[in-house]
Amino acid sequence: MDTLWLMPALACYALSAALFVFDRSAGRTRATGYAVAILGAGAIFHAFDLTARGLQAGNIPVANFAQALSFLAWLTALAGLLMIVRLRLAVIGAFVAPAVTVALGAASLTTSSGRLILPETLRSVWLPIHVTLAILGYTMFVLAASVSIVYLAYESRLKSKRAIGPANEGAPSLEKLDRINYRLLGWGFVMLSLAIVSGAIWADATWGHFWSWEPKESWSLVIWILYAGLLESRLTVGWRGRRAAALTIVLASVLVGSFVGVNLIFPGKHGGSFG
């Protein structure tokens, strides 16, 4: 089902991305305020789209890959907006807005026109809890990767003694960016952990076993272990700064690859194949 709100949301995200990238490439901030406002408008239109789909389906609209990707894009837009406004980190808009545009565009292209009906066994209070926690975790990890890209870019400029430019005046220090990265990783890890626990409880109540080792579950465990290792290395080995930023980007790439690959190739009980 296509709603009246999907295209306005996508258009706003795309325009916001163009303005953010133009300002960053031009080294100025003239359009940043407009970019933030348009990104917010896109999130509002997107919320209307998700609400309409949820009302038609009778449940949170995350029953297949396209819907989950759309929900991920929306939460990333909201969290990105919060960071831009609260932390005065407008520079990440140049990464968040394009990522959200690509994600929602891909979701709109793969959305089926028919209505996807969930089996009665899956119509549970655990559905919104489990899925929202999982996608919130993914959102935190994606934002951590965005902050890490900014960290590496700023560090490179400082080392080469190039001026950062008016577009980045007042930007957080490298130390603050590293702290933001760490907090995002921590919250993402907590959300993913709770998602795995809630999913196991739900699976036991529905199918009589906590774990089935299907691809989605297995990859979730792999991702959990990798991020646990990254957080542990920051605490015990002291991996911070450039090394932590680089590893965050690598793990985010693995996360995105597993999210797309597993959902499209081996969705199992998590992607619309509910048998």
Side-chain angles (χ1 to χ4, degrees):
M1 177 195 72
D2 289 328
T3 73
L4 296 174
W5 310 108
L6 181 61
M7 286 301 104
L10 187 56
C12 285
Y13 286 153
L15 179 56
S16 175
L19 291 174
F20 272 123
V21 172
F22 177 76
D23 256 13
R24 293 298 138 187
S25 60
R28 60 187 190 183
T29 60
R30 293 179 185 175
T32 298
Y34 296 106
V36 174
I38 295 170
L39 180 61
I44 293 172
F45 284 129
H46 198 168
F48 289 155
D49 175 72
L50 292 172
T51 300
R53 294 177 190 276
L55 290 174
Q56 190 207 38
N59 56 264
I60 184 173
V62 290
N64 59 18
F65 171 68
Q67 292 180 352
L69 186 59
S70 177
F71 192 46
L72 173 61
W74 181 62
L75 287 180
T76 302
L78 287 180
L81 273 169
L82 184 62
M83 290 182 62
I84 290 170
V85 174
R86 290 288 302 274
L87 301 179
R88 300 183 183 276
L89 201 60
V91 65
I92 68 165
F95 304 98
V96 171
V100 168
T101 303
V102 171
L104 184 58
S108 66
L109 292 175
T110 55
T111 298
S112 59
S113 57
R115 180 182 178 185
L116 182 60
I117 305 297
L118 284 177
E120 282 300 323
T121 54
L122 296 185
R123 291 181 177 273
S124 165
V125 68
W126 287 108
L127 175 62
I129 294 173
H130 169 65
V131 175
T132 300
L133 286 170
I135 296 184
L136 272 174
Y138 292 172
T139 297
M140 295 299 104
F141 292 144
V142 169
L143 290 175
S146 298
V147 172
S148 295
I149 294 172
V150 174
Y151 180 98
L152 294 178
Y154 278 22
E155 185 193 49
S156 176
R157 283 177 175 269
L158 289 173
K159 283 187 174 181
S160 61
K161 302 185 186 308
R162 286 182 293 163
I164 291 185
N168 299 313
E169 288 181 359
S173 64
L174 291 179
E175 182 181 354
K176 185 172 183 179
L177 287 171
D178 186 62
R179 288 201 306 270
I180 293 171
N181 176 35
Y182 177 64
R183 290 174 183 172
L184 288 169
L185 289 174
W187 279 110
F189 184 74
V190 169
M191 295 298 175
L192 182 59
S193 300
L194 292 174
I196 291 174
V197 171
S198 63
I201 295 172
W202 184 22
D204 182 61
T206 304
W207 294 295
H209 49 78
F210 289 102
W211 201 266
S212 61
W213 293 105
E214 67 169 20
K216 184 68 174 179
E217 292 176 343
S218 300
W219 269 105
S220 295
L221 182 59
V222 169
I223 295 296
W224 186 88
I225 292 172
L226 290 174
Y227 276 104
L230 175 56
L231 287 169
E232 176 67 15
S233 68
R234 288 185 63 105
L235 291 173
T236 59
V237 185
W239 284 4
R240 293 181 174 84
R242 167 179 283 272
R243 180 175 293 180
L247 287 174
T248 299
I249 295 169
V250 170
L251 291 193
S253 300
V254 175
L255 173 68
V256 171
S258 67
F259 178 77
V260 174
V262 173
N263 277 288
L264 291 180
I265 301 173
F266 302 110
K269 297 181 177 68
H270 289 83
S273 301
F274 301 110

